[in-house]
Amino acid sequence: TDFFPPLTLCSSLCCECGVPIPPNPANMCVGCLRAQVDITEGIPKQGTLHFCKQCERYLQPPGTWIQCTLESRELLALCLKKIKASLSRVRLIDAGFIWTEPHSKRLKLKLTVQKEVINGAVLQQIFVVEYIIQSQMCEDCHRIEAKDFWKAVVQVRQKTLHKKTFYYLEQLILKHRLHQNTLRIKEIHDGLDFYYSSKQHAQKMVDFLQCTVPSRSKSSQRLISHDIHSNVYNYKSTFSVEIVPICKDNVVCLSPKLAQSLGNMSQICVCIRVTSTIHLIDPSTLQIAEIDGNTYWRHPFNSLFHPKQLEEFIVMDINRVQEKRRGAGAGARSNRHTLAEAWVRKTSELDTDRQYFCCTHLGHILNPGDLVLGFDLANCNLNDEFANKMNPHHVPDVVLIKKSYDRTKRQRRRNWRLKELERDREGTDTDDERQYQDFLEDLEEDEAIRKNVNIYRNADVPVESDTDDDGPPRISLAEMLEDLHISQDATGEEGANMMT
């Protein structure tokens, strides 16, 4: 009586050890029942998971790779599918992960199962299944590492010396995440090449480019191999996208027919922006027009000057024009610019008395004594079919483009930055850096372009007051994004990566 509980009217003795127990169909205590029957027999206690370290995905047999965070429902389902056939003989009650060190390459699964055993008795048991994570590169990462394995390429070209359009295009691609399906991005002297593993991904990029920048495209394909028995053909497709050769701050000369169709605007215009269309402004009347890609290819025109031909002028006197008579059929005017008449002098000719008179659309930001960049049409030879046929009295002496600021000061105070695409470069020079700085300055000066670009806060540069009205244009903190670096630990939250 000291070792066994007293017998009651509702008790019975275990047939193995004789311990008084409540009556059950097996007539055995739990200890003896577990010693006699193992309901987890036949269920594997170890398994293997294949993990790709490049893209951080797990293999779901037979050939699907899925993205799973540690201790997630998706990873739990993947582990249970590995032993699904063995679990069909028992009833699964509960399943969960046991914490393991993130770099141990081990996953432990705690399972609770039930099964009907001797004479209808139901036995519940808890056991642990351990999975070993093995590294295996997926097919997509194999193609990326090979770099020569591709089925489609998109060749983007623009026949200009300046890369402003490509810098803008790069930011749009990053914002819309269109670079995720690329196997490789190669930069060459006049454009970019995007390589893809399927023709559908390349076609998606071409459609995006045609909606983003004024361009035209054509495609071709080359037969690589074919199987006459299964009727399977292997092609490599090439898409050629040509962007219009016009960039921001270019001075262009329109054809008389095109200028007339745009509201009788002047043939000499300034390109103030390139988005999905070419935005032009007439500096003598503030008349604006937008030209899409189809219109441009029907009536093509070229830039009269290269960006390196910009000259620096000093404003001697400026008079803002309130209202100017508009001709018949004139188009819309810009509300963001102010028309002004200015006398300017080249900074390289300050020892002379020569001045130039011009009309400008920069009357809202120019004052006497300011430095401004522009093109000298009076002392140059214009090699353009439309400009050579114009009446000389209709050709302005000087076309002012933008106000000049101290570039060194702007770089020092710039408290933001942009992300870049990972690409193979043929070679960079100092001119590329100058063009990139020009693009950053364009973002600061044009709010319409900034809306399509993700701008990130640069924590290395201290925040200064935005109330400096006399300084160069700046981007406010409200337009910047915080750059987050989130990695995952064993709980799926912030922390260290599981595999290194």
mmCIF file of all heavy atoms in Angstrom, residues 165-190:
data_model
loop_
_atom_site.group_PDB
_atom_site.id
_atom_site.type_symbol
_atom_site.label_atom_id
_atom_site.label_comp_id
_atom_site.label_asym_id
_atom_site.label_seq_id
_atom_site.Cartn_x
_atom_site.Cartn_y
_atom_site.Cartn_z
ATOM 1 N N THR A 165 19.273 61.131 -70.237
ATOM 2 C CA THR A 165 18.095 60.278 -70.406
ATOM 3 C C THR A 165 18.316 58.898 -69.792
ATOM 4 O O THR A 165 17.409 58.322 -69.186
ATOM 5 C CB THR A 165 17.746 60.149 -71.890
ATOM 6 O OG1 THR A 165 17.585 61.452 -72.458
ATOM 7 C CG2 THR A 165 16.464 59.365 -72.079
ATOM 8 N N PHE A 166 19.519 58.361 -69.900
ATOM 9 C CA PHE A 166 19.803 57.045 -69.332
ATOM 10 C C PHE A 166 19.830 57.098 -67.805
ATOM 11 O O PHE A 166 19.403 56.141 -67.139
ATOM 12 C CB PHE A 166 21.132 56.517 -69.861
ATOM 13 C CG PHE A 166 21.046 55.986 -71.262
ATOM 14 C CD1 PHE A 166 21.586 56.694 -72.313
ATOM 15 C CD2 PHE A 166 20.398 54.800 -71.545
ATOM 16 C CE1 PHE A 166 21.500 56.226 -73.616
ATOM 17 C CE2 PHE A 166 20.305 54.314 -72.830
ATOM 18 C CZ PHE A 166 20.856 55.031 -73.873
ATOM 19 N N TYR A 167 20.326 58.182 -67.237
ATOM 20 C CA TYR A 167 20.300 58.311 -65.781
ATOM 21 C C TYR A 167 18.861 58.382 -65.274
ATOM 22 O O TYR A 167 18.523 57.778 -64.243
ATOM 23 C CB TYR A 167 21.067 59.558 -65.350
ATOM 24 C CG TYR A 167 22.557 59.467 -65.589
ATOM 25 C CD1 TYR A 167 23.272 60.534 -66.145
ATOM 26 C CD2 TYR A 167 23.265 58.311 -65.268
ATOM 27 C CE1 TYR A 167 24.642 60.448 -66.371
ATOM 28 C CE2 TYR A 167 24.620 58.217 -65.496
ATOM 29 C CZ TYR A 167 25.304 59.286 -66.043
ATOM 30 O OH TYR A 167 26.655 59.200 -66.267
ATOM 31 N N TYR A 168 18.020 59.097 -65.986
ATOM 32 C CA TYR A 168 16.607 59.176 -65.618
ATOM 33 C C TYR A 168 15.939 57.816 -65.794
ATOM 34 O O TYR A 168 15.153 57.373 -64.941
ATOM 35 C CB TYR A 168 15.931 60.240 -66.475
ATOM 36 C CG TYR A 168 14.427 60.330 -66.313
ATOM 37 C CD1 TYR A 168 13.866 60.751 -65.120
ATOM 38 C CD2 TYR A 168 13.578 59.996 -67.359
ATOM 39 C CE1 TYR A 168 12.492 60.842 -64.964
ATOM 40 C CE2 TYR A 168 12.202 60.078 -67.211
ATOM 41 C CZ TYR A 168 11.671 60.509 -66.019
ATOM 42 O OH TYR A 168 10.314 60.581 -65.872
ATOM 43 N N LEU A 169 16.253 57.133 -66.872
ATOM 44 C CA LEU A 169 15.687 55.811 -67.129
ATOM 45 C C LEU A 169 16.124 54.804 -66.072
ATOM 46 O O LEU A 169 15.359 53.931 -65.649
ATOM 47 C CB LEU A 169 16.110 55.353 -68.521
ATOM 48 C CG LEU A 169 15.389 54.153 -69.127
ATOM 49 C CD1 LEU A 169 13.907 54.454 -69.270
ATOM 50 C CD2 LEU A 169 15.996 53.822 -70.482
ATOM 51 N N GLU A 170 17.344 54.909 -65.630
ATOM 52 C CA GLU A 170 17.855 54.009 -64.588
ATOM 53 C C GLU A 170 17.041 54.133 -63.305
ATOM 54 O O GLU A 170 16.698 53.129 -62.667
ATOM 55 C CB GLU A 170 19.324 54.320 -64.323
ATOM 56 C CG GLU A 170 19.934 53.518 -63.190
ATOM 57 C CD GLU A 170 21.352 53.947 -62.880
ATOM 58 O OE1 GLU A 170 21.741 55.068 -63.292
ATOM 59 O OE2 GLU A 170 22.078 53.174 -62.241
ATOM 60 N N GLN A 171 16.703 55.361 -62.920
ATOM 61 C CA GLN A 171 15.924 55.562 -61.701
ATOM 62 C C GLN A 171 14.504 55.041 -61.845
ATOM 63 O O GLN A 171 13.934 54.514 -60.893
ATOM 64 C CB GLN A 171 15.922 57.052 -61.333
ATOM 65 C CG GLN A 171 17.294 57.623 -61.031
ATOM 66 C CD GLN A 171 17.991 56.845 -59.930
ATOM 67 O OE1 GLN A 171 17.391 56.497 -58.906
ATOM 68 N NE2 GLN A 171 19.276 56.566 -60.136
ATOM 69 N N LEU A 172 13.934 55.165 -63.035
ATOM 70 C CA LEU A 172 12.591 54.626 -63.250
ATOM 71 C C LEU A 172 12.590 53.099 -63.163
ATOM 72 O O LEU A 172 11.660 52.498 -62.605
ATOM 73 C CB LEU A 172 12.071 55.062 -64.618
ATOM 74 C CG LEU A 172 11.733 56.553 -64.785
ATOM 75 C CD1 LEU A 172 11.261 56.814 -66.203
ATOM 76 C CD2 LEU A 172 10.670 56.986 -63.798
ATOM 77 N N ILE A 173 13.626 52.470 -63.704
ATOM 78 C CA ILE A 173 13.727 51.013 -63.640
ATOM 79 C C ILE A 173 13.864 50.551 -62.194
ATOM 80 O O ILE A 173 13.249 49.562 -61.768
ATOM 81 C CB ILE A 173 14.903 50.527 -64.503
ATOM 82 C CG1 ILE A 173 14.615 50.780 -65.988
ATOM 83 C CG2 ILE A 173 15.177 49.042 -64.271
ATOM 84 C CD1 ILE A 173 15.784 50.468 -66.898
ATOM 85 N N LEU A 174 14.646 51.269 -61.404
ATOM 86 C CA LEU A 174 14.804 50.913 -60.000
ATOM 87 C C LEU A 174 13.498 51.101 -59.229
ATOM 88 O O LEU A 174 13.148 50.279 -58.371
ATOM 89 C CB LEU A 174 15.912 51.768 -59.371
ATOM 90 C CG LEU A 174 17.347 51.403 -59.745
ATOM 91 C CD1 LEU A 174 18.309 52.481 -59.274
ATOM 92 C CD2 LEU A 174 17.728 50.063 -59.146
ATOM 93 N N LYS A 175 12.787 52.169 -59.526
ATOM 94 C CA LYS A 175 11.556 52.441 -58.785
ATOM 95 C C LYS A 175 10.492 51.393 -59.065
ATOM 96 O O LYS A 175 9.770 50.959 -58.153
ATOM 97 C CB LYS A 175 11.032 53.830 -59.153
ATOM 98 C CG LYS A 175 9.775 54.235 -58.379
ATOM 99 C CD LYS A 175 9.395 55.670 -58.633
ATOM 100 C CE LYS A 175 8.192 56.063 -57.787
ATOM 101 N NZ LYS A 175 7.823 57.486 -57.965
ATOM 102 N N HIS A 176 10.395 50.946 -60.313
ATOM 103 C CA HIS A 176 9.376 49.963 -60.690
ATOM 104 C C HIS A 176 9.901 48.528 -60.628
ATOM 105 O O HIS A 176 9.197 47.602 -61.042
ATOM 106 C CB HIS A 176 8.864 50.265 -62.093
ATOM 107 C CG HIS A 176 8.142 51.582 -62.204
ATOM 108 N ND1 HIS A 176 6.823 51.738 -61.846
ATOM 109 C CD2 HIS A 176 8.553 52.800 -62.614
ATOM 110 C CE1 HIS A 176 6.455 52.985 -62.043
ATOM 111 N NE2 HIS A 176 7.482 53.654 -62.514
ATOM 112 N N ARG A 177 11.132 48.328 -60.166
ATOM 113 C CA ARG A 177 11.730 47.005 -59.944
ATOM 114 C C ARG A 177 11.734 46.144 -61.212
ATOM 115 O O ARG A 177 11.523 44.923 -61.154
ATOM 116 C CB ARG A 177 10.985 46.262 -58.828
ATOM 117 C CG ARG A 177 11.011 46.982 -57.490
ATOM 118 C CD ARG A 177 10.246 46.207 -56.437
ATOM 119 N NE ARG A 177 10.259 46.881 -55.163
ATOM 120 C CZ ARG A 177 11.207 46.754 -54.239
ATOM 121 N NH1 ARG A 177 12.235 45.967 -54.489
ATOM 122 N NH2 ARG A 177 11.142 47.400 -53.098
ATOM 123 N N LEU A 178 12.000 46.758 -62.337
ATOM 124 C CA LEU A 178 12.041 46.001 -63.582
ATOM 125 C C LEU A 178 13.383 45.316 -63.812
ATOM 126 O O LEU A 178 13.543 44.599 -64.793
ATOM 127 C CB LEU A 178 11.732 46.930 -64.768
ATOM 128 C CG LEU A 178 10.270 47.363 -64.886
ATOM 129 C CD1 LEU A 178 10.109 48.318 -66.045
ATOM 130 C CD2 LEU A 178 9.357 46.171 -65.089
ATOM 131 N N HIS A 179 14.341 45.553 -62.937
ATOM 132 C CA HIS A 179 15.661 44.944 -63.106
ATOM 133 C C HIS A 179 15.764 43.582 -62.422
ATOM 134 O O HIS A 179 16.806 42.924 -62.514
ATOM 135 C CB HIS A 179 16.725 45.869 -62.505
ATOM 136 C CG HIS A 179 16.562 46.098 -61.029
ATOM 137 N ND1 HIS A 179 15.524 46.839 -60.506
ATOM 138 C CD2 HIS A 179 17.291 45.672 -59.963
ATOM 139 C CE1 HIS A 179 15.624 46.865 -59.195
ATOM 140 N NE2 HIS A 179 16.680 46.160 -58.830
ATOM 141 N N GLN A 180 14.704 43.124 -61.750
ATOM 142 C CA GLN A 180 14.798 41.887 -60.981
ATOM 143 C C GLN A 180 14.884 40.651 -61.877
ATOM 144 O O GLN A 180 15.442 39.643 -61.480
ATOM 145 C CB GLN A 180 13.586 41.774 -60.048
ATOM 146 C CG GLN A 180 13.578 42.822 -58.938
ATOM 147 C CD GLN A 180 12.411 42.653 -57.997
ATOM 148 O OE1 GLN A 180 11.403 42.057 -58.354
ATOM 149 N NE2 GLN A 180 12.521 43.181 -56.795
ATOM 150 N N ASN A 181 14.328 40.723 -63.062
ATOM 151 C CA ASN A 181 14.337 39.562 -63.957
ATOM 152 C C ASN A 181 15.521 39.551 -64.909
ATOM 153 O O ASN A 181 15.618 38.655 -65.750
ATOM 154 C CB ASN A 181 13.035 39.525 -64.762
ATOM 155 C CG ASN A 181 11.824 39.274 -63.890
ATOM 156 O OD1 ASN A 181 11.899 38.530 -62.923
ATOM 157 N ND2 ASN A 181 10.712 39.908 -64.228
ATOM 158 N N THR A 182 16.397 40.521 -64.807
ATOM 159 C CA THR A 182 17.529 40.582 -65.732
ATOM 160 C C THR A 182 18.631 39.626 -65.290
ATOM 161 O O THR A 182 18.924 39.495 -64.096
ATOM 162 C CB THR A 182 18.088 42.010 -65.806
ATOM 163 O OG1 THR A 182 18.464 42.453 -64.485
ATOM 164 C CG2 THR A 182 17.060 42.969 -66.377
ATOM 165 N N LEU A 183 19.228 38.961 -66.252
ATOM 166 C CA LEU A 183 20.391 38.124 -65.968
ATOM 167 C C LEU A 183 21.654 38.958 -65.895
ATOM 168 O O LEU A 183 22.563 38.662 -65.115
ATOM 169 C CB LEU A 183 20.544 37.062 -67.053
ATOM 170 C CG LEU A 183 19.383 36.083 -67.233
ATOM 171 C CD1 LEU A 183 19.684 35.131 -68.373
ATOM 172 C CD2 LEU A 183 19.116 35.324 -65.951
ATOM 173 N N ARG A 184 21.693 39.999 -66.698
ATOM 174 C CA ARG A 184 22.910 40.806 -66.773
ATOM 175 C C ARG A 184 22.566 42.146 -67.400
ATOM 176 O O ARG A 184 21.714 42.232 -68.289
ATOM 177 C CB ARG A 184 23.965 40.079 -67.607
ATOM 178 C CG ARG A 184 25.281 40.827 -67.795
ATOM 179 C CD ARG A 184 26.132 40.109 -68.822
ATOM 180 N NE ARG A 184 27.411 40.749 -69.029
ATOM 181 C CZ ARG A 184 28.220 40.470 -70.042
ATOM 182 N NH1 ARG A 184 27.874 39.549 -70.928
ATOM 183 N NH2 ARG A 184 29.373 41.086 -70.185
ATOM 184 N N ILE A 185 23.196 43.208 -66.933
ATOM 185 C CA ILE A 185 23.056 44.536 -67.521
ATOM 186 C C ILE A 185 24.445 45.008 -67.922
ATOM 187 O O ILE A 185 25.356 45.052 -67.091
ATOM 188 C CB ILE A 185 22.413 45.530 -66.533
ATOM 189 C CG1 ILE A 185 21.034 45.032 -66.084
ATOM 190 C CG2 ILE A 185 22.290 46.916 -67.175
ATOM 191 C CD1 ILE A 185 20.378 45.909 -65.053
ATOM 192 N N LYS A 186 24.594 45.331 -69.177
ATOM 193 C CA LYS A 186 25.899 45.734 -69.703
ATOM 194 C C LYS A 186 25.806 47.157 -70.231
ATOM 195 O O LYS A 186 24.930 47.489 -71.029
ATOM 196 C CB LYS A 186 26.344 44.780 -70.820
ATOM 197 C CG LYS A 186 27.728 45.094 -71.376
ATOM 198 C CD LYS A 186 28.115 44.093 -72.462
ATOM 199 C CE LYS A 186 29.497 44.401 -73.028
ATOM 200 N NZ LYS A 186 29.870 43.453 -74.102
ATOM 201 N N GLU A 187 26.714 47.989 -69.787
ATOM 202 C CA GLU A 187 26.756 49.381 -70.230
ATOM 203 C C GLU A 187 27.829 49.550 -71.305
ATOM 204 O O GLU A 187 28.979 49.149 -71.115
ATOM 205 C CB GLU A 187 27.063 50.317 -69.053
ATOM 206 C CG GLU A 187 27.141 51.780 -69.447
ATOM 207 C CD GLU A 187 27.450 52.679 -68.275
ATOM 208 O OE1 GLU A 187 27.407 52.195 -67.128
ATOM 209 O OE2 GLU A 187 27.744 53.863 -68.491
ATOM 210 N N ILE A 188 27.434 50.145 -72.426
ATOM 211 C CA ILE A 188 28.371 50.442 -73.500
ATOM 212 C C ILE A 188 28.346 51.945 -73.753
ATOM 213 O O ILE A 188 27.638 52.694 -73.076
ATOM 214 C CB ILE A 188 28.043 49.650 -74.785
ATOM 215 C CG1 ILE A 188 26.631 49.961 -75.251
ATOM 216 C CG2 ILE A 188 28.165 48.159 -74.538
ATOM 217 C CD1 ILE A 188 26.280 49.277 -76.556
ATOM 218 N N HIS A 189 29.114 52.385 -74.756
ATOM 219 C CA HIS A 189 29.338 53.820 -74.895
ATOM 220 C C HIS A 189 28.078 54.588 -75.282
ATOM 221 O O HIS A 189 27.956 55.772 -74.969
ATOM 222 C CB HIS A 189 30.428 54.072 -75.939
ATOM 223 C CG HIS A 189 30.048 53.665 -77.338
ATOM 224 N ND1 HIS A 189 30.041 52.344 -77.749
ATOM 225 C CD2 HIS A 189 29.649 54.396 -78.413
ATOM 226 C CE1 HIS A 189 29.670 52.276 -79.015
ATOM 227 N NE2 HIS A 189 29.417 53.495 -79.444
ATOM 228 N N ASP A 190 27.116 53.975 -75.950
ATOM 229 C CA ASP A 190 25.928 54.721 -76.377
ATOM 230 C C ASP A 190 24.628 54.079 -75.895
ATOM 231 O O ASP A 190 23.580 54.307 -76.475
ATOM 232 C CB ASP A 190 25.887 54.855 -77.904
ATOM 233 C CG ASP A 190 25.874 53.498 -78.600
ATOM 234 O OD1 ASP A 190 26.136 52.493 -77.914
ATOM 235 O OD2 ASP A 190 25.613 53.462 -79.815
#
